[in-house]
Amino acid sequence: MRPSGRAPDEMRAITIETGFTRHAEGSCLVSFGDTRVLCTASVENNVPPWMRNKGKGWVTGEYSMLPRATHTRGSREAAKGRQSGRTQEIQRLIGRSLRAVVDMKALGERQITLDCDVIQADGGTRTAAISGAWVALRLAVNGLLEAKAIDTDPITAQVAAISCGIFQGTPVLDLDYDEDSKADADANFVLIEGGHIAEVQATAEGATYDEEGLLRLLRLARIGCDRIFAAQRDAVK
């Protein structure tokens, strides 16, 4: 029995509230159960220096967790003067995941930054961030198309992410904190609509697993991402 009482292939409730902030070109508050992440997309009409005059754009991500997003208060990384290795890893993951579904030439010489700020954490913050960031990106690009700033839609597909793990010997979908902290193995899958895999992070924590175990986690991830794709479509239609 999972601590939450969910079935092995049952996700937490997903909600995506678009237009959550006023000033960003695209924004949403995404919730996976009690995990809540604010995702905003900011469009700038320039690119990093190393990309200038190449006729291509850039998509990047930033990630942070508010001090009281967890059970105890954490120090702001800005106060420490440096980002943790975890933060740097997650924001690079967000950037790679979104770039996997963007045609940079169609975007033109502009940069879109996806800021993902965790308001409340209960497991799966990076996967919720990626899933919500796609919605914010979609809304920002819609604005560029409506303003005729670009002629062709640079977004080639949907991308979503979900966590899976082996909890008490059973593969389960969408781990919350209680499961994630005690799982024998946990994995994060970034999938593109149509079945393609953008990235997999899979780690044995308490016990190793075999090939069939990994495939069972992938099958669960496909179920979960299909549900996220549907929620994304509903949010931006």
Side-chain angles (χ1 to χ4, degrees):
M1 177 65 71
R2 303 177 71 173
S4 62
R6 289 182 285 143
D9 63 349
E10 184 180 353
M11 291 183 64
R12 295 173 288 179
I14 302 173
T15 61
I16 303 175
E17 183 180 348
T18 58
F20 194 77
T21 61
R22 177 179 179 182
H23 300 293
E25 283 77 14
S27 70
C28 73
L29 178 70
V30 59
S31 301
F32 281 31
D34 287 333
T35 288
R36 295 181 175 87
V37 185
L38 172 61
C39 302
T40 58
S42 301
V43 179
E44 300 172 276
N45 291 317
N46 54 60
V47 291
W50 51 273
M51 288 198 67
R52 288 175 187 163
N53 303 316
K54 293 185 178 180
K56 297 192 295 184
W58 189 245
V59 173
T60 188
E62 294 195 9
Y63 171 96
S64 68
M65 187 175 291
L66 293 186
R68 201 54 207 271
T70 56
H71 297 88
T72 58
R73 186 185 186 278
S75 300
R76 295 183 188 273
E77 292 184 334
K80 297 179 180 178
R82 61 181 178 84
Q83 291 179 318
S84 68
R86 177 182 181 274
T87 294
Q88 294 180 54
E89 177 223 338
I90 292 175
Q91 60 190 28
R92 283 196 289 263
L93 172 64
I94 294 168
R96 289 195 304 270
S97 301
L98 274 295
R99 287 193 294 272
V101 295
V102 176
D103 180 344
M104 298 302 169
K105 286 188 177 180
L107 184 60
E109 288 203 14
R110 56 179 53 83
Q111 175 170 281
I112 302 181
T113 302
L114 286 311
D115 287 293
C116 302
D117 295 287
V118 180
I119 297 173
Q120 184 169 278
D122 186 33
T125 61
R126 73 185 68 193
T127 55
I130 292 166
S131 302
W134 183 88
V135 172
L137 176 66
R138 176 72 274 173
L139 295 172
V141 168
N142 286 351
L144 292 173
L145 289 165
E146 290 168 7
K148 300 189 184 305
I150 53 177
D151 300 321
T152 305
D153 187 354
I155 298 179
T156 59
Q158 288 176 252
V159 66
I162 193 67
S163 64
C164 301
I166 300 175
F167 179 75
Q168 295 183 354
T170 300
V172 296
L173 175 64
D174 190 20
L175 280 69
D176 55 28
Y177 176 78
D178 286 340
E179 293 172 327
D180 189 32
S181 60
K182 301 173 184 175
D184 292 329
D186 69 87
N188 297 300
F189 292 87
V190 183
L191 305 182
I192 299 170
E193 64 174 324
H196 287 267
I197 298 172
E199 187 148 348
V200 178
Q201 301 175 331
T203 307
E205 302 282 356
T208 58
Y209 53 94
D210 58 14
E211 180 180 355
E212 178 56 28
L214 180 60
L215 290 175
R216 291 176 71 183
L217 294 179
L218 176 58
R219 293 183 198 114
L220 286 172
R222 293 194 187 282
I223 292 170
C225 283
D226 282 345
R227 295 171 185 167
I228 298 170
F229 291 145
Q232 288 174 330
R233 288 191 294 269
D234 286 342
V236 302
K237 68 181 179 182

